[in-house]
Amino acid sequence: MNFLRQTIPSRLEEAEALLLRVRTFLQAAGASSIAFPVELLARECVVNAIVHGNRRNADNSVGFSLRVGRKWVRLEVSDEGAGFPWKDTIRKRSGVRSRGGRGLHLCRLYADRVSFNQQGNRIALWIGRTRKES
Amino acid sequence: MSVCSARLEGQCGVVAIQGDFTALVVPEIGRELKDMVAKGARQLVFDLSDTYMLDSSGIGLLIAAANTVASHAGSVRVTNVSAEIFRLLQSMRLVNRLQVSPAE
């Protein structure tokens, strides 16, 4: 079984439980060589969905799915928020003294492909299993 | 679950994190740091020898700590990081700013 899907309420404690499950899942799926970047991207997207998307409203859910294929890992995270203007934000980069704004930068850095739905409340990332080191 | 132990030796604050350094634990570690800086810490050392994961929230806290002590002529060192975390900080161009050293 190389597919993990879960819906969680918008609480960081719930996210932590999901992300620890992702760690175990990646090992079991034989993807340990890319476990760090995949878990990191999952963390960035899930925490963004809770904090910025759903604004920590636990009544709103975060959808998560992860598929480990032979050549690719595909990660998708959605929230129930209004979305954000991803076309304006995706190319911005944080300065070395800036505390925030690194989540999307990490997505660009570690994922081979990043896409959003039009509204900007669902992100999908592809990570190649034979990708070069960052 | 991550555990953070912090001790102050003169002006040097040492923070050892056992577990992940991520959004869930950043508020608690941030409080420890604020307390240490209030008590006079000017050099901050983060020991990540038992840390597997560092996310953007953890990176943000390291930068905030570096900004805070820099205003008192202090600095931050991040020590004993894994190869994955070293590559992450290197790709964010933070190795020099945070004086990052890998685990031996």
Side-chain angles (χ1 to χ4, degrees), chain A residues 4 22 29 32 35 39 44 57 62 93 102 104 124 128 133:
Chain A
L4 175 66
V22 166
S32 54
E39 182 186 326
E44 297 302 331
N57 180 352
V62 172
R93 182 170 186 152
R102 286 190 170 74
L104 279 175
E133 298 290 347

Coordinates of all heavy atoms in Angstrom, one line a residue, chain A residues 4 22 29 32 35 39 44 57 62 93 102 104 124 128 133:
Chain A
L4 N -1.4 7.2 1.2 CA -1.9 7.6 2.5 C -2.8 8.8 2.4 O -2.4 9.8 1.7 CB -0.6 8.0 3.4 CG -0.9 8.6 4.8 CD1 -1.5 7.5 5.7 CD2 0.4 9.1 5.4
V22 N 3.3 10.0 8.6 CA 4.0 10.2 7.3 C 5.4 9.6 7.3 O 5.8 8.9 6.4 CB 4.0 11.6 6.8 CG1 4.9 11.9 5.7 CG2 2.6 12.1 6.5
A29 N 7.2 2.4 2.9 CA 7.1 2.4 1.5 C 8.4 2.3 0.7 O 8.4 2.4 -0.5 CB 6.3 3.6 1.0
S32 N 13.0 5.8 2.1 CA 13.8 6.4 3.1 C 14.8 7.4 2.6 O 15.1 8.4 3.2 CB 14.5 5.4 4.0 OG 15.2 4.5 3.2
A35 N 13.0 10.6 2.4 CA 12.0 10.8 3.5 C 12.1 12.2 4.1 O 11.1 12.8 4.4 CB 12.2 9.8 4.6
E39 N 8.9 14.7 4.0 CA 8.3 15.1 5.3 C 8.3 16.6 5.5 O 7.4 17.2 6.0 CB 8.9 14.3 6.5 CG 8.2 14.7 7.8 CD 8.9 14.1 9.0 OE1 9.5 13.0 9.0 OE2 8.9 14.8 10.1
E44 N 5.5 21.7 5.9 CA 5.3 23.1 5.4 C 3.8 23.3 4.9 O 3.2 24.3 5.3 CB 6.3 23.5 4.3 CG 7.7 23.5 4.8 CD 8.0 24.4 6.0 OE1 7.3 25.4 6.1 OE2 8.9 24.1 6.8
N57 N -8.8 27.6 12.7 CA -10.2 27.3 13.1 C -10.4 25.8 13.0 O -10.5 25.2 12.0 CB -11.2 28.0 12.1 CG -12.6 27.7 12.5 OD1 -12.9 26.8 13.3 ND2 -13.5 28.3 11.8
V62 N -8.3 20.0 7.2 CA -7.1 20.0 6.2 C -7.1 18.6 5.6 O -7.2 17.6 6.3 CB -5.8 20.2 6.9 CG1 -4.6 20.0 6.0 CG2 -5.8 21.7 7.5
R93 N 11.3 35.5 -2.2 CA 12.3 34.8 -1.4 C 12.5 35.7 -0.2 O 12.7 36.9 -0.3 CB 13.5 34.7 -2.3 CG 14.6 33.9 -1.5 CD 15.8 33.6 -2.5 NE 16.7 32.8 -1.7 CZ 17.5 31.9 -2.3 NH1 17.4 31.7 -3.6 NH2 18.3 31.2 -1.6
R102 N 9.3 31.4 4.5 CA 10.2 30.5 3.9 C 9.5 29.2 3.4 O 10.1 28.4 2.7 CB 11.3 30.1 4.9 CG 12.3 31.1 5.1 CD 13.5 30.7 5.9 NE 14.5 31.7 5.7 CZ 14.4 32.9 6.4 NH1 13.4 33.1 7.2 NH2 15.3 33.8 6.2
L104 N 7.0 28.5 1.3 CA 6.8 28.3 -0.2 C 8.2 28.2 -0.8 O 8.4 27.5 -1.8 CB 6.0 29.5 -0.7 CG 4.5 29.3 -0.6 CD1 3.8 30.6 -1.1 CD2 4.0 28.1 -1.4
A124 N -0.3 21.0 -4.8 CA 0.2 19.6 -5.1 C 1.6 19.7 -5.5 O 2.1 20.7 -6.1 CB -0.6 19.0 -6.3
G128 N 10.7 13.9 -7.3 CA 11.3 12.7 -8.0 C 12.1 11.8 -7.1 O 12.8 12.3 -6.2
E133 N 20.5 15.9 -5.0 CA 20.5 16.6 -3.7 C 20.3 18.1 -3.9 O 20.8 18.6 -4.8 CB 21.8 16.3 -2.9 CG 22.0 14.8 -2.6 CD 21.1 14.3 -1.6 OE1 20.4 15.1 -0.9 OE2 21.0 13.0 -1.5

